[in-house]
Amino acid sequence: MDIVVKGRKTEVPERFRKHVAEKLKLEKIQKLDAKVISLDVEVSKEPNPRQADRSDRVEITLHSRGPVIRAEAAAADPYAALDLATGKLEARLRKQHEKRHNRRGNGRLSAAEVVDVVPGVAQLNANGAPAAQETRDAVPTTMIGTLEVQGEGPLVVREKTHVAAPMTLDQALYEMELVGHDFYLFVDSDTKEPSVVYRRHAYDYGVIHLRTDPLAGSEAGGAGGALGG
């Protein structure tokens, strides 16, 4: 794995390059992501004296056969910024590593436990066939295509609720690249309104902002359109 250290509008001393190699321990990173190809470390400096406590910024970009992972931090000197950015990178790598580990079956439920944990799952009889449910006939059943829907609907295939702190557009783009999705829902830290960033063509991105307007309910169109525009 290669580590490329470069400066943006600033010189990078050899001492700092050596410190990067010591700080970003290859064995630890490869243990969390065995598919890592290279690491890019970019150092930049803010000339504004009013931002002296955040004058040095370090951005680490990890390239692998999976999604690109980025971590950045700013501090009063590049060494402190590197420490902060490295901590963020390792936290994101650890999160992704645990996610892959869980997908491979760690903590699987046995067939007997599924009935108790998963609501609405079909129970099996002694022959392995689905057991009859007394309440099934009492609920109206409708066929929608090849799907059998019980009750009046609407059909909700999956529902999730996330707790998230407001973030900037740049942070949302980083998080989208981290999880490897084509879109990312977030709360804009400037407007405090829900927004969505999405991948368009090649390396272009789009962003949709939602603004609450009680009079807009009767208007056609809205945020329900396709993201590809």
Side-chain angles (χ1 to χ4, degrees):
M1 181 180 71
D2 297 327
I3 299 180
V4 179
V5 182
K6 56 186 177 181
R8 185 172 61 188
K9 298 181 180 179
T10 185
E11 293 291 330
V12 180
E14 188 62 29
R15 176 168 169 254
F16 182 79
R17 295 179 186 273
K18 292 180 180 179
H19 184 70
V20 169
E22 295 171 357
K23 187 68 178 178
L24 295 172
K25 299 185 183 300
L26 302 185
E27 300 84 0
K28 187 174 183 179
I29 292 176
Q30 289 174 328
K31 185 177 180 181
L32 294 172
D33 188 347
K35 298 180 180 180
V36 61
I37 299 172
S38 65
L39 276 170
D40 292 340
V41 179
E42 184 177 88
V43 185
S44 59
K45 193 168 186 69
E46 171 58 53
N48 188 345
R50 295 181 179 179
Q51 298 185 19
D53 59 334
R54 297 172 56 84
S55 61
D56 291 277
R57 178 175 296 273
V58 172
E59 179 180 317
I60 306 174
T61 305
L62 183 147
H63 300 275
S64 72
R65 289 190 287 274
V68 174
I69 299 178
R70 292 188 180 91
E72 66 173 329
D77 64 80
Y79 295 91
L82 177 65
D83 291 346
L84 293 172
T86 301
K88 291 181 180 179
L89 179 71
E90 291 179 354
R92 292 175 181 178
L93 281 172
R94 196 173 296 110
K95 179 180 179 180
Q96 187 151 304
H97 176 74
E98 292 172 354
K99 188 176 180 180
R100 286 196 304 267
H101 184 65
N102 291 336
R103 279 180 182 167
R104 291 187 184 123
N106 183 43
R108 282 182 179 172
L109 299 175
S110 66
E113 294 172 319
V114 170
V115 175
D116 297 327
V117 176
V118 182
V121 71
Q123 299 186 22
L124 304 181
N125 57 25
N127 298 323
Q133 299 179 11
E134 285 130 6
T135 59
R136 185 180 182 89
D137 295 334
V139 179
T141 301
T142 306
M143 293 300 298
I144 301 179
T146 59
L147 295 177
E148 182 179 287
V149 181
Q150 296 185 31
E152 298 178 357
L155 176 63
V156 178
V157 178
R158 192 175 187 183
E159 182 177 356
K160 281 187 174 182
T161 301
H162 294 278
V163 178
M167 63 179 66
T168 63
L169 177 59
D170 285 344
Q171 289 173 315
L173 288 172
Y174 288 157
E175 293 295 330
M176 183 180 73
E177 292 289 354
L178 174 62
V179 299
H181 289 173
D182 290 330
F183 68 95
Y184 191 82
L185 175 65
F186 70 104
V187 177
D188 192 295
S189 57
D190 293 328
T191 65
K192 301 300 185 292
E193 298 285 353
S195 303
V196 173
V197 290
Y198 62 95
R199 196 187 313 280
R200 296 184 73 249
H201 308 290
Y203 295 100
D204 292 339
Y205 299 96
V207 59
I208 296 175
H209 300 288
L210 291 183
R211 182 168 298 167
T212 304
D213 185 353
L215 302 179
S218 59
E219 295 180 4
L227 294 180

